[in-house]
């Protein structure tokens, strides 16, 4: 078991990829039979599009959009998601989103990238545009006005637009455009997605009764301290060995994993501290001793923090919940890893807070090469969050606070079982050069895994609630691998 986690986690900029073999195989088929689509449906939402970069290739793609309410009732923009579909320029290409100007204000517009579960000849990625509550609502007959949006390769290499599903080179003035889709509260109300990629989120009101069967692990982290013998008896290891990831020379401090009661629940705290040197840096990690977890549902309630508990802010810290197995050789195809990673102060080339969900196929540490897919959101996630990732035989799906966050395709499914891990660590010491001591906290309320069953976030909450109503703080019926 790879308890050392010595593998380097990232290069200086975040890399991601769709699996090249799957993309090539599917690209040859072109677009599948036309999927179900929506035009100006019941909600009355219409998406209009134009481009200000109409060339076959460009430094950046510029999809300018307007969302119009052609219905009879007001629509909160925070309930609207718009997707623009495109073909990645290479398997390892990473992209960055920007808003140049918007009537609603760029601060009220979000842009995240996702990977399509069913790649086609003209699309294997999408840019999803969302709105914060500050964007307000669209009254009947109103529109958002200009949203002058753009995206580019992280390397700023030229990108090819002519093979992008949603690109319309002739669209130099705004007009209705059905190759961009819109959802309201998770339901498709406008447009037509590339074949086999209907962007419909899970039902707004999914069933809440959890399945009664299925092997599972539940832990409420009801322990007295890191030396509590129940921790090891229940299958956990509090890391103390040296090695990566993170600051060279740092130690992994079991004593910085503590437990306390909050609002009637036992909560685990991971403290990471530093005084600006490797020798003074203490990371924290807790992980299952067994790699026996594969398909099914993984869930946890985690509290991220934007600022240190004490001392100066600014360190490039990573706060996580993830599953992983060991890399047996560079680019080994049986490697797997599925991450929630929050960077409150940026890092890996990002200037500010960002939440990543990443599905890993494999990587090579030297020279660095990564095969993964990820979805990100650039905003603060300080506070408690419900994190769920489900793995079935077709895809990996991530949820944050009950809302769909990202889906990654079959090319990234695990071949071998994994461990379940939480850790908090510093990427480097460049974000805050001070030698003043500081300490950061990440808290964990519970963890749940249900083997070979895909649960909705509502079902997860119901299952956790039933454990707590019964006063049961731990159960592990998952067979060993």
């Amino acid at each position: 078991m790879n308890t050392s986690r010595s593998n380097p986690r990232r290069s200086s900029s975040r890399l991601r990829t769709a699996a090249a073999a799957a993309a090539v195989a599917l690209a040859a088929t072109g677009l599948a039979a036309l999927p179900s689509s929506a035009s100006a449906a019941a909600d009355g939402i219409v998406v209009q599009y134009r481009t200000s970069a109409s060339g076959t290739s460009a430094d950046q793609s510029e999809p300018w959009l307007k969302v119009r309410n052609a219905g009879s009732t007001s629509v909160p923009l925070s309930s609207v998601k718009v997707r623009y579909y495109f073909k990645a320029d290479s398997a390892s290409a990473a992209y960055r989103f920007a808003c140049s100007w918007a009537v609603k204000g760029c601060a009220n517009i979000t842009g995240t990238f996702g990977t399509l579960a069913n790649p086609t000849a003209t699309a294997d990625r999408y840019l999803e545009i969302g709105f914060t509550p500050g964007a307000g609502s669209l009254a009947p007959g109103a529109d958002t006005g200009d949203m002058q949006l753009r995206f580019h390769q992280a390397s700023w290499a030229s990108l090819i637009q002519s093979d992008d599903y949603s690109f319309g080179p002739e669209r130099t003035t705004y007009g209705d455009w059905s190759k961009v889709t819109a959802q309201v509260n998770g339901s498709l109300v406008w447009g037509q997605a590339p074949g086999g990629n209907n962007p419909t989120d899970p039902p707004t009101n999914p069933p809440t009764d959890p399945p009664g069967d299925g092997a599972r692990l539940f832990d409420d982290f009801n322990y007295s301290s890191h030396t509590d013998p129940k921790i090891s008896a229940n299958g956990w290891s509090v890391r103390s060995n040296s090695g990566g990831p993170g600051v060279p020379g740092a130690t992994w401090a079991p004593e910085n994993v503590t437990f306390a009661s909050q609002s009637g629940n036992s909560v685990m705290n991971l403290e990471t501290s530093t005084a600006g040197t490797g020798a003074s840096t203490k990371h924290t990690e807790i992980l299952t001793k067994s790699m026996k977890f594969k398909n099914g549902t993984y869930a946890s309630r985690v509290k991220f923090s934007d600022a240190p508990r004490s001392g100066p802010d600014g360190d490039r810290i990573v706060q996580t919940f993830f599953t992983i197995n060991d890399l047996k050789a560079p680019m080994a195809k049986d490697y797997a890893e599925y991450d929630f990673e929050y960077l409150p102060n940026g890092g890996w080339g990002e200037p500010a807070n960002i939440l990543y969900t990443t599905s890993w196929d494999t990587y090579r540490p030297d020279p660095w090469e990564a095969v993964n897919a990820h979805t990100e959101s650039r905003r603060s996630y300080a506070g408690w969050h419900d994190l769920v990732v489900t793995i079935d035989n077709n895809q990996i799906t991530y949820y944050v606070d009950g809302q769909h966050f990202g889906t990654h395709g079959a090319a990234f499914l695990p071949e071998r079982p994994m461990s379940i891990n939480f850790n908090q660590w510093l990427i480097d010491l460049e974000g805050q050069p001070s030698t003043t001591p500081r300490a950061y906290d990440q808290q964990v309320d519970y963890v749940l895994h249900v083997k070979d069953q895909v649960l909705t976030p509502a079902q997860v909450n119901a299952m956790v609630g039933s454990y707590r109503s019964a006063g049961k703080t731990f159960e592990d019926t998952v067979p060993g691998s």
Side-chain angles (χ1 to χ4, degrees), residues 60-253:
Q60 52 190 340
S61 183
E62 299 186 32
W64 291 15
L65 302 174
K66 287 183 181 180
V67 177
R68 180 168 59 89
N69 183 2
S72 58
T73 59
S74 182
V75 177
L77 277 169
S78 60
S79 69
V80 177
K81 299 285 188 184
V82 176
R83 285 188 181 181
Y84 179 96
Y85 302 89
F86 65 99
K87 183 77 172 178
D89 292 271
S90 69
S92 60
Y95 293 86
R96 297 291 181 263
F97 165 77
C99 172
S100 298
W101 185 82
V103 172
K104 290 291 184 180
C106 284
N108 292 316
I109 297 172
T110 63
T112 60
F113 293 96
T115 302
L116 291 181
N118 300 293
T120 73
T122 58
D124 55 17
R125 311 278 183 96
Y126 61 84
L127 168 64
E128 183 170 271
I129 302 302
F131 302 88
T132 71
S137 297
L138 281 184
D143 64 50
T144 58
D146 271 348
M147 294 188 290
Q148 298 181 8
L149 312 178
R150 55 190 170 90
F151 65 92
H152 58 85
Q153 292 202 62
S155 64
W156 280 103
S158 180
L159 50 79
I160 303 299
Q161 300 190 99
S162 56
D163 60 353
D164 291 348
Y165 175 84
S166 295
F167 177 60
E170 75 285 0
R171 295 281 175 159
T172 56
T173 59
Y174 278 112
D176 297 356
W177 192 238
S178 63
K179 289 189 174 183
V180 175
T181 60
Q183 302 167 72
V184 174
N185 290 321
S187 296
L188 181 67
V189 297
W190 173 264
Q192 181 174 287
N197 292 284
N198 188 353
T200 302
D201 286 347
T204 305
N205 298 303
T208 56
D209 293 333
D213 57 351
R216 66 189 69 168
L217 165 69
F218 173 74
D219 201 331
D220 213 15
F221 295 113
N222 188 17
Y223 303 109
S224 59
S225 71
H226 75 281
T227 60
D228 190 328
K230 291 190 299 181
I231 294 178
S232 180
N234 288 348
W236 294 99
S237 174
V238 183
R239 183 176 173 181
S240 60
N241 58 298
S242 61
V247 175
T251 57
W252 294 82

Side-chain angles (χ1 to χ4, degrees), residues 334-357:
D334 62 351
Y335 177 74
E337 181 179 352
Y338 307 96
D339 303 328
F340 288 93
E341 294 171 309
Y342 181 54
L343 283 61
N345 293 317
W348 298 325
E350 292 291 333
N353 39 26
I354 185 169
L355 176 65
Y356 287 108
T357 59

Side-chain angles (χ1 to χ4, degrees), residues 166-481:
S166 295
F167 177 60
E170 75 285 0
R171 295 281 175 159
T172 56
T173 59
Y174 278 112
D176 297 356
W177 192 238
S178 63
K179 289 189 174 183
V180 175
T181 60
Q183 302 167 72
V184 174
N185 290 321
S187 296
L188 181 67
V189 297
W190 173 264
Q192 181 174 287
N197 292 284
N198 188 353
T200 302
D201 286 347
T204 305
N205 298 303
T208 56
D209 293 333
D213 57 351
R216 66 189 69 168
L217 165 69
F218 173 74
D219 201 331
D220 213 15
F221 295 113
N222 188 17
Y223 303 109
S224 59
S225 71
H226 75 281
T227 60
D228 190 328
K230 291 190 299 181
I231 294 178
S232 180
N234 288 348
W236 294 99
S237 174
V238 183
R239 183 176 173 181
S240 60
N241 58 298
S242 61
V247 175
T251 57
W252 294 82
E255 68 274 13
N256 285 358
V257 178
T258 58
F259 303 87
S261 179
Q262 288 187 15
S263 303
N265 294 326
S266 179
V267 172
M268 176 172 65
N269 190 77
L270 306 179
E271 177 192 292
T272 293
S273 60
T274 188
T277 65
S280 68
T281 301
K282 295 183 177 181
H283 298 151
T284 45
E285 180 167 22
I286 185 169
L287 64 157
T288 59
K289 292 186 287 186
S290 175
M291 289 189 195
K292 62 178 184 177
F293 309 98
K294 194 180 176 189
N295 286 16
T297 299
Y298 299 80
S300 184
R301 185 165 171 80
V302 177
K303 185 178 184 181
F304 298 128
S305 57
D306 278 355
R309 187 182 70 247
S310 60
D313 196 2
D315 289 292
R316 295 169 179 167
I317 197 160
V318 185
Q319 301 170 347
T320 75
F321 165 44
F322 62 102
T323 69
I324 191 172
N325 59 31
D326 53 329
L327 182 74
K328 294 185 177 295
M331 303 302 286
K333 296 301 293 181
D334 62 351
Y335 177 74
E337 181 179 352
Y338 307 96
D339 303 328
F340 288 93
E341 294 171 309
Y342 181 54
L343 283 61
N345 293 317
W348 298 325
E350 292 291 333
N353 39 26
I354 185 169
L355 176 65
Y356 287 108
T357 59
T358 309
S359 302
W360 287 79
D361 182 33
T362 190
Y363 73 95
R364 174 172 42 227
D366 188 20
W368 180 257
E369 183 178 357
V371 182
N372 60 36
H374 79 81
T375 305
E376 74 272 357
S377 178
R378 292 174 175 83
R379 69 172 180 85
S380 171
Y381 279 86
W384 284 104
H385 295 283
D386 295 316
L387 310 177
V388 176
V389 56
T390 64
I391 304 173
D392 59 23
N393 291 324
N394 299 302
Q395 62 190 24
I396 306 100
T397 306
Y398 296 86
Y399 303 87
V400 177
D401 297 330
Q403 299 298 309
H404 178 259
F405 190 87
T407 298
H408 302 152
F412 303 96
L413 292 173
E415 286 87 8
R416 289 191 291 123
M418 302 166 288
S419 62
I420 297 175
N421 303 48
F422 299 88
N423 66 18
Q424 184 181 219
W425 50 281
L426 294 173
I427 296 172
D428 53 41
L429 296 172
E430 297 173 11
Q432 173 52 267
S434 172
T435 56
T436 301
R438 56 267 191 191
Y440 296 82
D441 289 334
Q442 173 188 338
Q443 296 183 338
V444 182
D445 186 9
Y446 72 85
V447 68
L448 173 71
H449 170 70
V450 181
K451 177 179 170 64
D452 294 332
Q453 290 186 353
V454 172
L455 273 61
T456 66
Q459 288 175 320
V460 167
N461 291 339
M463 186 173 286
V464 172
S466 66
Y467 274 113
R468 288 180 166 167
S469 296
K472 195 167 189 176
T473 60
F474 178 80
E475 180 180 38
D476 185 5
T477 59
V478 180
S481 58

